[in-house]
Amino acid sequence: MSDLDLLATFVEIYRSGSLTAAAQRRGLTQPAVSGQLARLERELGEPLFTRGSRGVTPTARADDLVRRVGAHVDALRSAVSGVDGRAAFAGTVHLAGPAELLTARVLPALAPLTTRGLRLRVSVGLAADLLAALVNARLDLVVSSVRPTDRALSATPFADEEFVLVGAPTLVRSVDRELLALDPVRALAHLPLVAYAEELPIIRRYWRSEFGRRPPNQVAVVVPDLRAVLAAVVAGAGVSALPRYLAEPALSAGSVEPVHVAAVPPLNTLFLATRVGGLANPSVALVHDHLLDRSKHWAGL
C-alpha cells in the first residue's frame, strides 16, 4: 500500500465526514478504510478525526493536512488513473461569502476553473444568513468569517485576514503621537468613525484587542459594505479598521495612512464551510481545494 493510498483515503474521509461514505467512494470495505486511517495516524503520531454518532469530525491536524495535500492528491490520482477530472469541471457550485473578499480574492482565484468549464453561482451576505442557507442546501460552499457551530456543517480554516486602522492623511496628522503612546483611547477619541454596522463589529474588535476597551468615538457613517467604508475614509469622513487586503491599495497610493500600528495586528480566521459530506461532490471539492491551495499565496490578507 502506497502513501498515496493512505492520503487518498484520508482526503475522502475528510470530504465525506464518514468512514462508510469514504469506503464507498474508494471502493473499499469500511474495515480497510479504518485500517488505512489508523496506519496514517500512527505514522503522524496523532489523531486526525474524532468519532461520533453522526460521523467523524476533523482535528486541527487534519485541517492542516488537507490544506497542504488535498489538491495534490487529486492531481496525482488523476495522473495515475488517467482520469482528467472532467466530471468536476462539468458541475455547478453555489458559492457565497462576504462581497468584499469574494471580489478581491476569491473570484479572481477561481477564474482558471471557470475557463475550463466549471460554473459558479455566487451569492453575498452576512455569515449567519449564508451558513443557514448552507444547512438548508441552498448553497454548496460558504466563505465564512465565523466558524460554524451547526453539527450539520464542516469547516476548514484557510486564511487569516489582518486588520489595520486607517484614516485620511489630514485626520491622521491630527493625532497627538506622544499621547497616542501613553493613552491611545484618549488620543484617538476625537476621530469620527466609519463603520460597517451600528454594532461596530470590526472597529470594536480592534479597540478591544489593542486598547482593552470599546471606542468612545462618535460614529459618523454606517454603511454595510467595506468598499464603501474605505471610500468614506479616503474622503475624510472618519477612520476605520479594515482588512489589509482591502486597504492596501489606498495605503500604497497614500490616500489613507495608518492611524495606529499594532505590534501584532489583530487577525480573524476565515473558514471554508460545507455540509458534512458535501465534499463528496467533485465540483465542490475542486473549488474547496483550489481555494485552500491559492490562499497560501494571499500574503497580507
Side-chain angles (χ1 to χ4, degrees), residues 44 59 88 187 196 225 254-255 289:
L44 295 175
T59 63
Y196 180 84
D225 186 311
S255 52
D289 291 348

Side-chain angles (χ1 to χ4, degrees), residues 263-286:
V264 179
L267 300 175
N268 182 56
T269 299
L270 300 169
F271 298 88
L272 290 176
T274 62
R275 286 182 302 284
V276 171
L279 292 178
N281 180 320
S283 299
V284 177
L286 175 68

Side-chain angles (χ1 to χ4, degrees), residues 8 23 38 54 67-68 79-80 100 142 155 175 177 222 241 247 256 258 271:
R54 299 178 62 180
R67 184 164 51 234
R68 291 190 290 115
V80 170
E100 303 86 357
V142 170
V175 175
R177 291 290 147 178
V222 175
V256 299
F271 298 88

Side-chain angles (χ1 to χ4, degrees), residues 14-263:
Y14 187 98
R15 289 173 175 170
S16 65
S18 162
L19 297 181
T20 301
Q24 292 172 347
R25 287 181 58 79
R26 292 281 287 142
L28 301 170
T29 65
Q30 184 170 332
V33 166
S34 297
Q36 289 185 14
L37 175 60
R39 176 177 165 184
L40 182 59
E41 289 179 326
R42 284 196 303 272
E43 290 185 3
L44 295 175
E46 57 185 309
L48 293 169
F49 301 94
T50 56
R51 280 68 167 174
S53 59
R54 299 178 62 180
V56 295
T57 301
T59 63
R61 182 69 172 91
D63 288 338
D64 177 66
L65 183 61
V66 82
R67 184 164 51 234
R68 291 190 290 115
V69 308
H72 301 296
V73 168
D74 289 340
L76 287 169
R77 289 173 66 188
S78 294
V80 170
S81 65
V83 175
D84 62 6
R86 282 175 289 184
F89 285 100
T92 298
V93 176
H94 294 267
L95 169 72
E100 303 86 357
L101 183 64
L102 291 180
T103 301
R105 289 286 189 269
V106 173
L107 292 179
L110 294 177
L113 305 186
T114 63
T115 61
R116 295 182 62 183
L118 182 77
R119 296 180 297 275
L120 294 176
R121 298 297 180 264
V122 182
S123 304
V124 300
L126 298 176
D129 297 334
L130 298 179
L131 293 174
L134 181 62
V135 170
N136 293 327
R138 296 196 301 273
L139 296 170
D140 299 312
L141 182 65
V142 170
V143 179
S144 177
S145 57
V146 299
R147 181 187 285 273
T149 57
D150 194 303
R151 294 184 64 187
L153 301 181
S154 174
T156 306
F158 85 111
D160 289 322
E161 54 182 355
E162 175 186 320
F163 295 112
V164 291
L165 185 63
V166 295
T170 52
L171 284 179
V172 173
R173 291 172 195 143
S174 72
V175 175
D176 184 323
R177 291 290 147 178
E178 291 185 4
L179 184 59
L180 182 64
L182 298 172
D183 188 345
V185 172
R186 189 154 64 94
L188 302 177
H190 68 287
L191 297 173
L193 302 177
V194 181
Y196 180 84
E198 292 288 354
E199 297 79 14
L200 313 182
I202 302 176
I203 295 172
R204 187 178 67 245
R205 178 171 183 162
Y206 191 98
W207 250 255
R208 283 181 169 170
S209 171
E210 294 303 308
F211 312 136
R213 56 166 292 187
R214 290 174 59 96
N217 306 51
Q218 173 190 351
V219 181
V221 179
V222 175
V223 54
D225 186 311
L226 292 178
R227 294 162 298 185
V229 170
L230 177 59
V233 170
V234 169
V239 303
S240 194
L242 290 166
R244 179 171 289 280
Y245 74 83
L246 191 64
E248 192 62 51
L251 285 166
S252 297
S255 52
V256 299
E257 296 178 358
V259 180
H260 167 265
V261 178

